[in-house]
Amino acid sequence: MIRIIVVLAAAFTTFTFWTCTQSESRNYVSIVGSSTVYPFAAVVAEQFGRTTRFRTPILESTGSGGGIKLFCSGVGLEHPDIANASRRIKKSEVDRCRENGVNEIIEVKIGYDGIVLASSRKNPPMSISRKDIFLALAKEIPDLSGAEKLIANPHKTWKDVNSSLPDTKIEVLGPPPTSGTRDAFVELAMEGGAKTFSWIKDLKKKDKSRYKAICHTIREDGAFIEAGENDNLIIQKLEANPDAVGIFGFSFLEQNTDKIQGSSVDGFEPNFGSIAKGDYPVSRPLFMYVKKSHVGVIPGIKNYIEEFTSDKAWGEDGYLADKGMIPMPKEEREKYYNDARYLVPIEIK
Amino acid sequence: METNESTGQKGFQTVGETKVENPRMTCRDVNVYYGDKHAIKHVGIDIGRNQVIAMIGPSGCGKSTFIRCLNRMNDTIPRCRVTGEILLDDTNIYDRDIDVVPLRAQVGMVFQKPNPFPKSIYDNVAYGPRIHGLAQNKAELDEYVETSLKRAGLWEEVKDRLDHSGTSLSGGQQQRLCIARTIAVSPEVILMDEPCSALDPIATAKIEGLIDELRTHYTIVIVTHSMQQAARVSQRTAYFHMGDLVEVGITDKVFTNPRHKLTEDYITGRFG
Amino acid sequence: MNNSEYKQKALDKSSSGRTIEMVNKSLSRRYKAERRFRRYGQVAIIISLGFLCLLFISIISKGYPAFYQTFIQIDVFLDPDVLPKDKLSTANYPGLIKKSLSSEFPEVELRREKKQLYGMVSIGAYYQIRKMVMKNRDMIGTTQTVWVPVDDDIDMLAKGHIDRNTPELERRVKDIQLAWFDRWDKAGKIKKRFNTTFFTSGDSREPEMSGIWGAMAGSLYVLVVTLLLSFPIGVAAAVYLEEFASKSRWVDLIEVNINNLAAVPSIVFGLLGLAIFINFFGLPRSAPLVGGLVLTLMTLPIIIIASRAALQSVPPSIRQAALGVGASKMQTVFHHVFPLALPGILTGTIIGISRALGETAPLLMIGMVAFIVDVPGSFTDPSTVLPVQIYLWADSPERAFVERTSAAILVLLALLIATNFLAVLLRNRFERRW
């Protein structure tokens, strides 16, 4: 028995030494970031790995904020080369990058994602406005009489919100606060709805934190149900309960059109055309940030970006569109293709 | 009968003959403490060569504790402290530079409950010679095993199944196997802590007979609950009471003519 | 006759009849309570078995189809013009297949329809043709009949997961594709085969090309590291604490800490691993080595606690016996106590390892929750593990990943059952009676 333990201990030490000498190089691209961008970046990475002499990039789904934090933690092999984000990088994040020596960042906008409010096909499709969304889901809403004060949200059914909507209970399944989809939904739909009240809009300049609190706080009395990060689960629940409404990314609607349908918002249905044109209001751009100092050090970064920005990937008929990403218009694509190609770093405002 | 602890003086005088000619072991003023409890009080006794000395006394009197001092088995008990001198052939076994491993080879021990290793009969007996490196080769080891089993009176019963597990034997056989295991390392003294308390009368008789035979080679200290057993197997008897050594003497004399009142009460069955 | 005997007799006389009556009276109540208790136990077991069956039935019925993949037979002309000998690796393989499909359905001319036709075959087909050509260059210039995997939507259609009655607009497979599929099916060119890809390749965004092998290899590497480190360290710590360390305040403190560590949420170990192994020692992210180290931290307390319990359960008489014939402390422990405790130690180790096998949370922090296509080949290659793969697939929008998720769960369950079976085997092998 003692002999076995001695052998194991010896194996362990040699093993440690061996690995310490091993870990000096990295020959694959390391990508981190948004879970919304993850399925698209994964397709590109796989395509890239299979058709070039480079190894397949490693892609971690960390969420936009977490990804940028990792990305900004420094220059060197142990830090990622590319960060995906479902929102633009913030000034504070760029500063943080600077502090850690990451000075030149290339920004590539890769397309759009729509956030849809979808329900089961068993009921007729809804048509709602952002104002309706705000009035249905905010924790506190402006007094119904029109006075400039807030009351706790009294609405129980969609009909209470807007008489043209069906008389069903408000029951919305949405992502938890940790999700980028939630951030975008709150910012685009809720805030958009809140702004239709002029006094709230005015508040933005006078008392920003109060303005944010009004726009961004979702009710907690059971009408909004946090359904976790798994969007497939939300779809299953919508099938089981036709009166419920789910909030998730466009790609899930795209893959499940036989079970669920998207509600039109402000008169626009969620589809490729309306999102790409910018008509559908609850949509957001998707970004990819590249560390310039790593280009040329880690093999394959440039080629990966080239694959991503080629028309067969992000074009109107590209394979990313098949996966549910909404392509940018041609001019925008050209601008970002050139930025990426000549490695133009972003200006920090 | 109370020990006068405040003065550190021995408050109790053992009656009888504590000393013998040319002893194998000599104990002088031995005290054992379990934490604050004074379990053995100022015991002084000689253990003579090639004879059996029996330790008797009521439960909790300290007789087991005392013989466990003789091969320092008490060392394994936390918070147990031993003071005084115990000489084995003029060496104090509690000296700082004494190694307990060879000591326990010299002073072997047989326990109350038969505790063979869950290994074969052969390995049980061969274990001691193996770890001490007594045998140069397989043949010598075989001889150790055979001699020991023969001395323990077990050879005829097990010689055809030495590879069977030691735990497959009956209780009495197991205890004799434990004795064989102890004598395989050729100890000078064998300590037996109530070796027959878990055995039936027939097995007990066999062990008692064995003890009598072993006396020619070894010095034996036996702790027993049974006064009849003490009378049958021992040459000298020591009576313990509440941690004190009350009386020591030739067995016949102790049993027929006890000199101390406590001994008399115990032997006549007043208590215990 | 002394006093107590006398009293006993009196008691017997006066109440012997009544005692037995009272006993009989209470007897039926006591038996009833016993029966009731037994029934509770049986009900509990039936309920838990029921849930287990439900789980297995749902996972097996969902996951079983993933072990089969639909293939389609096509004739591909390996055009020497498209396949220049010096540029075989980058040649236009999609073009070859597209040409073959077009020649089968010459009536398809609309661009949109062509795209739908080409979309019926998995892109895996291109890689398959490429591999075939690179392996055997003599094929160039000939026409080969090959079975290639179909796209995941068509696979779902073949497996009956797509309802043909829903309106075309709401269906992922269009009417025209249905017609093509039926034509192929009639001609006997559609076949379901065992899905070897699932067991031989890494992750993929295309369900029909995705496999579990990458994650399994990752799990294997991680477990090797975990086992190699946690078993000797854990057992050594347990043996030292149980057999050698003298009881002191420090040992008590260590004991309390180990017990607390066993209850720490696993994600905390992930954070620790990130801070120490990656940020301080500079080990690579996403590597099984780091994953193994983190899971070692997690399983160590489990192994130590189980090993100590196993050592404690060895009867003290065995220790005394060994010490009594003059064995040293070390010999006593390693010749007698340790072998007797080994079955218990092994059981504890396997429990710890099984827990490590099913863990995702700590791996999130060290970058093992990642999309990794290449099957890892060493302890420092980026890789993922089985439960992470399940998590990633469960979160993928494509319908075909639903069955793959269940199939991956089946594989994980099979592995867990295998390790537990191994534990039982080992235990029986080492178990000894005393």
Side-chain angles (χ1 to χ4, degrees):
Chain A
M1 207 59 225
I2 304 171
R3 210 172 306 145
I4 295 174
I5 287 181
V6 168
V7 167
L8 282 180
F12 162 57
T13 9
T14 44
F15 175 71
T16 321
F17 276 112
W18 168 73
T19 45
C20 281
T21 50
Q22 280 271 308
S23 61
E24 289 309 311
S25 68
R26 174 150 71 80
N27 58 355
Y28 52 88
V29 181
S30 164
I31 306 167
V32 293
S34 161
S35 52
T36 314
V37 186
Y38 169 82
F40 311 131
V43 184
V44 179
E46 185 179 352
Q47 180 74 15
F48 173 74
R50 287 192 199 269
T51 53
T52 62
R53 64 195 163 80
F54 299 104
R55 288 186 58 180
T56 314
I58 302 305
L59 182 59
E60 276 182 59
S61 171
T62 59
S64 303
I68 291 175
K69 195 175 158 196
L70 279 171
F71 177 79
C72 286
S73 55
V75 175
L77 291 175
E78 66 272 32
H79 304 292
D81 313 311
I82 295 173
N84 298 320
S86 54
R87 56 169 172 79
R88 192 168 217 136
I89 194 167
K90 290 178 194 157
K91 172 95 171 57
S92 60
E93 287 167 339
V94 176
D95 292 343
R96 200 189 146 85
C97 264
R98 276 255 170 81
E99 278 169 32
N100 293 320
V102 184
N103 289 319
E104 290 183 299
I105 305 167
I106 302 144
E107 180 184 72
V108 184
K109 196 181 188 180
I110 54 181
Y112 294 94
D113 179 42
I115 293 167
V116 295
L117 283 90
S119 56
S120 162
R121 283 209 172 264
K122 288 168 194 155
N123 280 352
M126 284 212 289
S127 174
I128 52 177
S129 65
R130 279 183 282 173
K131 187 177 172 185
D132 296 337
I133 296 175
F134 173 69
L135 290 178
L137 293 180
K139 190 176 185 189
E140 291 183 311
I141 58 169
D143 196 281
L144 300 172
S145 64
E148 293 191 3
K149 61 170 184 156
L150 294 170
I151 55 165
N153 195 335
H155 301 309
K156 291 269 182 290
T157 66
W158 290 102
K159 209 178 173 69
D160 293 345
V161 177
N162 184 335
S163 53
S164 68
L165 290 171
D167 188 12
T168 50
K169 215 174 126 212
I170 299 174
E171 214 179 337
V172 178
L173 300 159
T178 47
S179 154
T181 313
R182 165 84 165 254
D183 291 348
F185 173 76
V186 165
E187 210 163 286
L188 298 166
M190 301 270 292
E191 199 174 324
K195 271 191 206 158
T196 55
F197 296 91
S198 55
W199 66 272
I200 297 182
K201 196 175 177 184
D202 294 341
L203 208 60
K204 187 173 184 179
K205 287 177 198 116
K206 283 184 267 172
D207 187 351
K208 201 161 179 187
S209 62
R210 185 165 150 71
Y211 168 79
K212 275 217 158 149
I214 297 173
C215 300
H216 291 194
T217 314
I218 285 186
R219 62 198 292 185
E220 290 156 354
D221 55 359
F224 183 89
I225 303 152
E226 282 177 8
E229 291 268 19
N230 191 328
D231 295 344
N232 275 327
L233 217 63
I234 300 187
I235 290 169
Q236 279 178 22
K237 283 181 185 160
L238 292 182
E239 260 194 297
N241 179 3
D243 289 340
V245 174
I247 298 169
F248 40 78
F250 178 74
S251 55
F252 278 85
L253 176 65
E254 163 77 5
Q255 289 283 340
N256 293 283
T257 41
D258 55 339
K259 290 181 182 166
I260 48 169
Q261 58 190 349
S263 313
S264 45
V265 178
D266 291 352
F268 294 101
E269 268 185 46
N271 57 37
F272 275 101
S274 63
I275 298 174
K277 263 187 265 165
D279 291 337
Y280 181 77
V282 200
S283 75
R284 56 179 162 171
L286 304 175
F287 294 94
M288 165 165 89
Y289 293 95
V290 183
K291 215 175 268 178
K292 191 175 175 181
S293 48
H294 279 198
V295 179
V297 180
I298 309 285
I301 296 182
K302 235 185 135 155
N303 313 60
Y304 170 78
I305 303 169
E306 204 152 304
E307 172 75 35
F308 212 124
T309 56
S310 66
D311 264 358
K312 72 172 170 151
W314 73 353
E316 266 122 22
D317 292 324
Y319 54 76
L320 287 177
D322 288 344
K323 286 283 167 193
M325 191 185 82
I326 292 134
M328 293 181 286
K330 199 163 193 311
E331 311 81 64
E332 223 179 343
R333 285 210 305 272
E334 259 162 29
K335 180 203 175 280
Y336 282 106
Y337 174 72
N338 285 325
D339 276 8
R341 190 172 178 153
Y342 301 109
L343 301 170
V344 184
I346 42 168
E347 310 276 318
I348 321 290
K349 302 145 290 263
Chain B
M1 81 184 251
E2 286 298 301
T3 305
N4 190 349
E5 284 192 61
S6 58
T7 55
Q9 292 296 307
K10 191 175 175 182
F12 190 93
Q13 196 57 53
T14 305
V15 296
E17 303 85 24
T18 55
K19 300 258 189 299
V20 294
E21 291 265 319
N22 190 16
R24 176 122 269 164
M25 293 185 92
T26 310
C27 308
R28 284 189 204 131
D29 197 24
V30 175
N31 288 282
V32 181
Y33 304 86
Y34 290 123
D36 295 332
K37 191 176 170 257
H38 199 172
I40 295 287
K41 299 164 188 164
H42 309 284
V43 169
I45 188 171
D46 284 357
I47 292 160
R49 275 168 210 277
N50 294 13
Q51 50 170 229
V52 180
I53 178 165
M55 310 269 167
I56 60 169
S59 292
C61 67
K63 55 195 190 295
S64 282
T65 301
F66 179 70
I67 73 160
R68 293 167 69 92
C69 293
L70 300 180
N71 70 343
R72 293 184 58 175
M73 280 301 272
N74 282 336
D75 289 13
T76 57
I77 298 167
R79 282 160 45 86
C80 177
R81 194 160 54 84
V82 180
T83 64
E85 266 191 335
I86 298 176
L87 304 179
L88 172 67
D89 299 334
D90 303 326
T91 327
N92 184 2
I93 62 169
Y94 277 90
D95 259 356
R96 215 168 271 174
D97 52 350
I98 288 291
D99 189 345
V100 294
V101 171
L103 169 70
R104 287 182 191 146
Q106 283 172 287
V107 184
M109 189 154 186
V110 176
F111 297 86
Q112 191 170 354
K113 220 180 114 203
N115 57 354
F117 300 129
K119 298 177 185 238
S120 72
I121 294 169
Y122 183 94
D123 285 339
N124 259 287
V125 183
Y127 183 68
R130 261 192 199 134
I131 56 169
H132 295 299
L134 300 182
Q136 301 302 318
N137 50 45
K138 179 84 169 77
E140 267 185 59
L141 196 62
D142 288 348
E143 212 180 301
Y144 268 105
V145 172
E146 192 179 332
T147 324
S148 310
L149 283 171
K150 273 181 179 157
R151 276 199 187 160
L154 197 60
W155 176 250
E156 290 304 320
E157 289 161 63
V158 300
K159 65 180 176 192
D160 300 324
R161 46 174 177 148
L162 290 175
D163 54 336
H164 285 213
S165 171
T167 49
S168 67
L169 299 172
S170 72
Q173 288 174 324
Q174 285 191 15
Q175 194 62 297
R176 277 182 282 151
L177 178 63
C178 293
I179 293 173
R181 180 178 67 194
T182 307
I183 57 188
V185 292
S186 320
E188 293 165 25
V189 182
I190 300 175
L191 310 175
M192 296 186 176
D193 189 357
E194 300 185 31
C196 301
S197 66
L199 304 180
D200 65 64
I202 296 170
T204 304
K206 274 197 177 158
I207 303 261
E208 284 177 5
L210 175 59
I211 291 171
D212 211 40
E213 282 168 30
L214 290 173
R215 182 161 61 90
T216 51
H217 294 95
Y218 311 99
T219 301
I220 295 172
V221 184
I222 180 168
V223 165
T224 177
H225 248 104
S226 150
M227 282 173 283
Q228 289 79 1
Q229 188 173 59
R232 281 194 297 266
V233 299
S234 69
Q235 283 72 52
R236 289 175 77 223
T237 295
Y239 174 64
F240 280 80
H241 185 92
M242 309 268 291
D244 291 307
L245 175 57
V246 178
E247 181 167 347
V248 190
I250 307 296
T251 300
D252 286 348
K253 276 192 185 164
V254 172
F255 278 102
T256 52
N257 189 14
R259 273 172 277 184
H260 198 282
K261 178 81 173 50
L262 283 168
T263 320
E264 192 186 337
D265 285 354
Y266 182 70
I267 287 168
T268 52
R270 289 291 153 75
F271 60 82
Chain C
M1 188 185 276
N2 74 23
N3 208 11
S4 71
E5 260 176 296
Y6 182 79
K7 265 188 190 164
Q8 185 63 43
K9 278 236 164 131
L11 196 74
D12 287 347
K13 250 182 203 164
S14 70
S15 66
S16 61
R18 264 178 50 217
T19 312
I20 196 74
E21 265 169 39
M22 280 162 82
V23 168
N24 282 341
K25 239 192 231 164
S26 72
L27 210 57
S28 70
R29 202 182 30 152
R30 269 147 63 186
Y31 283 149
K32 239 184 235 165
E34 192 180 316
R35 271 199 299 276
R36 211 162 43 232
F37 181 77
R38 272 199 205 171
R39 216 157 296 143
Y40 289 151
Q42 284 162 352
V43 167
I45 287 175
I46 288 170
I47 289 176
S48 42
L49 273 182
F51 277 115
L52 194 71
C53 282
L54 208 68
L55 175 85
F56 271 97
I57 290 170
S58 97
I59 290 176
I60 292 174
S61 63
K62 264 194 200 164
Y64 176 71
F67 295 133
Y68 288 92
Q69 162 72 31
T70 314
F71 282 77
I72 188 172
Q73 188 192 44
I74 52 169
D75 301 319
V76 189
F77 174 57
L78 301 171
D79 192 344
D81 295 340
V82 185
L83 300 167
K85 293 238 170 195
D86 50 333
K87 277 193 196 159
L88 270 186
S89 61
T90 53
N92 184 10
Y93 294 97
L96 288 176
I97 289 178
K98 284 176 183 170
K99 219 166 152 188
S100 145
L101 289 169
S102 294
S103 63
E104 192 142 346
F105 296 98
E107 70 276 12
V108 179
E109 276 168 2
L110 282 174
R111 192 171 167 269
R112 191 170 56 85
E113 287 186 353
K114 271 191 174 167
K115 205 182 158 199
Q116 283 170 352
L117 176 62
Y118 301 152
M120 290 183 73
V121 175
S122 160
I123 19 175
Y126 315 147
Y127 306 125
Q128 190 185 326
I129 303 285
R130 179 167 166 235
K131 215 169 131 190
M132 188 178 83
V133 172
M134 307 259 283
K135 214 171 165 187
N136 189 354
R137 288 166 184 245
D138 299 337
M139 280 183 181
I140 297 169
T142 63
T143 300
Q144 295 287 329
T145 307
V146 285
W147 288 92
V148 295
V150 297
D151 187 62
D152 54 314
D153 288 329
I154 307 297
D155 189 38
M156 289 292 100
L157 175 73
K159 284 171 182 167
H161 292 309
I162 286 177
D163 185 2
R164 289 178 186 233
N165 294 325
T166 42
E168 186 183 8
L169 268 178
E170 299 159 9
R171 215 189 304 127
R172 293 218 24 107
V173 181
K174 304 299 169 206
D175 283 348
I176 191 166
Q177 289 178 307
L178 280 178
W180 290 325
F181 178 80
D182 292 340
R183 230 174 92 184
W184 263 321
D185 204 10
K186 244 180 221 150
K189 291 186 171 184
I190 299 275
K191 197 163 86 177
K192 265 190 235 162
R193 279 193 191 173
F194 183 69
N195 190 358
T196 44
T197 316
F198 186 72
F199 293 101
T200 53
S201 64
D203 197 7
S204 168
R205 282 299 298 143
E206 304 299 328
E208 70 274 11
M209 289 163 64
S210 63
I212 199 79
W213 180 239
M216 261 173 88
S219 273
L220 221 68
Y221 282 123
V222 167
L223 288 191
V224 165
V225 176
T226 309
L227 194 64
L228 225 56
L229 293 179
S230 62
F231 184 70
I233 297 177
V235 170
V239 167
Y240 177 76
L241 285 176
E242 200 52 48
E243 302 288 334
F244 292 98
S246 52
K247 297 273 169 252
S248 70
R249 204 169 288 175
W250 283 110
V251 173
D252 287 346
L253 196 72
I254 289 171
E255 199 174 327
V256 168
N257 274 309
I258 288 172
N259 290 343
N260 283 342
L261 270 183
V264 164
S266 55
I267 187 117
V268 176
F269 292 108
L271 285 165
L272 191 74
L274 175 70
I276 295 178
F277 301 125
I278 294 182
N279 292 346
F280 185 72
F281 285 114
L283 292 171
R285 264 182 90 79
S286 312
L289 172 67
V290 182
L293 288 168
V294 167
L295 293 181
T296 299
L297 295 178
M298 203 193 76
T299 42
L300 258 181
I302 301 176
I303 294 183
I304 293 177
I305 290 171
S307 303
R308 291 189 64 177
L311 289 167
Q312 271 166 15
S313 72
V314 174
S317 66
I318 295 292
R319 291 187 183 83
Q320 288 182 343
L323 290 174
V325 292
S328 67
K329 188 92 201 180
M330 177 108 166
Q331 286 169 328
T332 305
V333 170
F334 285 102
H335 292 170
H336 302 286
V337 180
F338 186 74
L340 289 175
L342 197 59
I345 293 175
L346 284 176
T347 311
T349 308
I350 302 264
I351 289 171
I353 292 290
S354 306
R355 208 186 129 186
L357 182 62
E359 200 57 68
T360 49
L363 302 179
L364 191 77
M365 292 286 123
I366 54 164
M368 291 193 81
V369 179
F371 175 70
I372 288 155
V373 176
D374 300 333
V375 175
S378 81
F379 288 99
T380 47
D381 270 0
S383 71
T384 183
V385 293
L386 273 174
V388 168
Q389 192 65 74
I390 291 167
Y391 166 78
L392 288 175
W393 281 352
D395 212 19
S396 300
E398 287 81 4
R399 184 81 53 82
F401 273 125
V402 175
E403 62 174 38
R404 265 143 232 273
T405 307
S406 295
I409 293 173
L410 276 181
V411 172
L412 181 64
L413 281 178
L415 264 179
L416 282 172
I417 290 171
T419 43
N420 282 331
F421 185 67
L422 188 75
V424 173
L425 268 185
L426 282 174
R427 203 164 48 207
N428 290 343
R429 165 88 179 67
F430 286 111
E431 192 121 70
R432 275 182 237 185
R433 286 169 205 290
W434 56 74

